Amino acid sequence: MNTLHKTWDLETIFEGGSESEQLHNYVLKTEQEISKLESLVHSFTSPKNTDQTKELSEVVDQIQLVTKRLGEIGAFISCLNAQNVNDKKAGAWQSRKNELSAAFGNLLTEFDQRLVQTDEDVWKSLLKHTPFRQLDFILDERRKAAKDKLELRQESLINDLGIDGYHAWGQMYDAIVGKLDITHEGKTLSVGQASNLLDSPDRAVRKEVFDKLQNTWKAQTDLFSETLNHLSGFRLQTYKYRGWERVLKEPLEYNRMSEKTLNTMWETITKYKKHYLPYLKRKAHMLGLERLSFYDVEAPVGSTEQTMSFQQGAEFITQQFRSFSPKMADFAEMAFERRWIEAEDRSGKRPGGFCTSFPDSGQTRIFMTYSGTPSNVATLAHELGHAYHQHVMDDLPALNQGYAMNVAETASTFAEMIVSDAAVKHAANDTEKLTLLEDKVQRSIAFFMNIHARFLFETRFYEERKKGVVSAERLNELMVEAQKEAYEDALDEYDPTFWASKLHFHITDVPFYNFPYTFGYLFSMGIYAKALNSDSNFENDYIALLQDTGRMTTEDLAAKHLGVDLEKPEFWEQALDLCMKDLNDFMELSAKQRND
Ligand SMILES: [Zn+2]
């Protein structure tokens, strides 16, 4: 590989950053395309027979065109915002983009309602016609979703009232959190900064910060129980008017999966939990404790000194990818060489990492801050996995490129697993190896126990909320009950105000922002298990699976490409068995170290 740059190149997309003339013209042209869509949608009448394909295909083509253009604009703006948090111009572009998206959203709602009015038989035969055949799943999904909702005027009213109701409660939550702080060693810290200290290797620090955070959240639980009760109340009222009885209807449909799949997943995980109990005990002893508390579960047991330069990290990742998929390795190499990655460690950048795609130009960009730790290398591999997922979908129709949260993490987790497994194999010594293994087991614990607690809490909370307002005290109780159950009662101290401190319970874009994480993790674990036991065809099978993530249910995806039934335990058991391997390796190595 050539010598790599640590900064990305955005000029090949639009020249001139947030002052870009090209971006300006592109946005203007997109506005014109939205106006064109508007007149197409307004004049579009529900097809009465299958001869009316021309009108429908014009609208669909225009929707796909606007989808791509808005995606391109949105991706560019998020790159500008991330690379320099003080770029005011980029902030202004963001508001402009939000307006365009809102206008586009309204046109889509209107279009979907026209589809509902189409006669069932006409609709079925329309979907068999050439322009729509490859979009049949997505168009039918849109129509069904619109059918389950109220008529256009009522849905518009809900949407409009939601701005100052539903979504406003979510924003109120953010506003209250923004005002909270704690003092630690004489310094004032935001709750976000303080939470980072919960990973401290020093238990006294963890305990002190945890207690202070508890006090801070507890002092405000009355406000947070207001935000949570109103937000969920708005959601439940909307469901009631739409005639939706199950709270899980929306999140399951959004993730294109069945309740049976979800239940089978949790049941199988629960059966495997007992294997993690000796690990929690061992970890407690390694930290000099009798039992772990909530704030010890993610504490580090050792440290890794081995670091890799960006160049070394890039070469290591590409090399590991190659043993599973030469195409994925070639893609990664191209992304590095064409400067699709922003990795420089400098101030003024947004924290965290992401991957964003430019659907019009068929490019992607990865954002992160790379300082050479094993976790940086894993993050880089993770984001390259996302980029590769997009890459294999580039030539598909825009409407077939939208995949849900539960499969969104498939390619990324898969890529990350390849690299973190290789890191364990290449560890310099046993201490290093143990730290890396522990990191992997800890990830499983987060998906199987922590996320499970969130899911249990949220389901139970919604059931109680249907009967009326749930008090702050009761929310604390529900949270601790859920945590005790999810962690098999293995911890000493729990986190009663977790429902207040975890943003995910208060976001309004997607309800139940929890189980898709666990699903995605185990789903890619299952694919990884297949890759390890598979012949040379794996690469193409894998690509075909990724390409279908935006156009079928999760059950169909798994049946078609993995030959498994997600509603039965076998697939989940196979994935969990792979997690057991890391667990056993950790237990053996840590026992050996204790005897040395
Ligand atoms: Zn990800």
Side-chain angles (χ1 to χ4, degrees), residues 329-399:
D330 289 345
F331 169 80
E333 222 164 84
M334 179 201 64
F336 281 116
E337 284 176 353
R338 289 204 189 154
R339 295 177 61 198
W340 284 11
I341 300 158
E342 168 59 55
E344 196 176 44
D345 192 351
R346 61 161 196 271
S347 61
K349 275 175 78 164
R350 220 196 75 171
F354 66 78
C355 170
T356 186
S357 53
F358 294 82
D360 201 10
S361 52
Q363 302 185 38
T364 45
R365 288 296 182 276
I366 287 168
F367 178 87
M368 67 172 296
T369 298
Y370 185 94
S371 54
T373 64
S375 114
N376 288 160
V377 179
T379 303
L380 186 52
H382 179 103
E383 301 305 338
L384 279 164
H386 278 303
Y388 186 62
H389 192 170
Q390 182 52 44
H391 175 69
V392 302
M393 291 186 109
D394 272 345
D395 296 330
L396 301 178
L399 282 176

Side-chain angles (χ1 to χ4, degrees), residues 28-39:
L28 284 182
K29 177 84 176 118
T30 305
E31 274 172 356
Q32 288 166 10
E33 298 292 356
I34 293 176
S35 303
K36 189 181 164 195
L37 177 65
E38 189 176 2
S39 46

Side-chain angles (χ1 to χ4, degrees), residues 218-236:
K218 268 188 187 140
Q220 307 296 344
T221 47
D222 286 341
L223 291 180
F224 291 123
S225 77
E226 289 280 329
T227 55
L228 191 61
N229 273 287
H230 291 313
L231 184 154
S232 53
F234 193 104
R235 194 178 275 168
L236 287 170

